[in-house]
Amino acid sequence: TKYYAASTQALQTILRGRVVTCKPVDRSHNRIVAQCSLGENRDLGSILVRTGWAFDLPNKSGGAHKQLEKQAQQDGRGIWRG
């Protein structure tokens, strides 16, 4: 996709030197859906949505990241740069 390289680089920067813990929570299109965190209480999904490198998926998150996505879009972060 258009933003693949940039979003991959952003994820690598966020994860560099950190321990990631993932907990499977669902399946979608024959893939595991997991909730991942960086250390204590640092939800990776929230970080990626807040920085504009991921979308909120309300059917998986219950809308937990909706406001973060809206703010990232308003601030022109990540994929929302235009």
Side-chain angles (χ1 to χ4, degrees), residues 41-68:
N41 301 316
R42 296 211 52 215
D43 179 61
L44 184 56
S46 295
I47 293 168
L48 291 172
V49 172
R50 185 178 63 244
T51 56
W53 295 113
F55 299 104
D56 179 38
L57 298 175
N59 61 324
K60 301 295 178 191
S61 73
H65 305 123
K66 181 180 179 181
Q67 284 305 116
L68 295 174

Side-chain angles (χ1 to χ4, degrees), residues 1-39:
T1 65
K2 181 178 178 181
Y3 297 103
Y4 177 79
S7 61
T8 299
Q9 179 61 45
L11 179 61
Q12 289 173 340
T13 299
I14 291 166
L15 298 181
R16 189 168 291 131
R18 293 180 174 87
V19 174
V20 178
T21 305
C22 295
K23 174 182 153 189
V25 294
D26 201 354
R27 290 192 70 81
S28 178
H29 304 284
N30 289 326
R31 296 181 184 155
I32 295 171
V33 175
Q35 184 172 21
C36 298
S37 61
L38 301 174

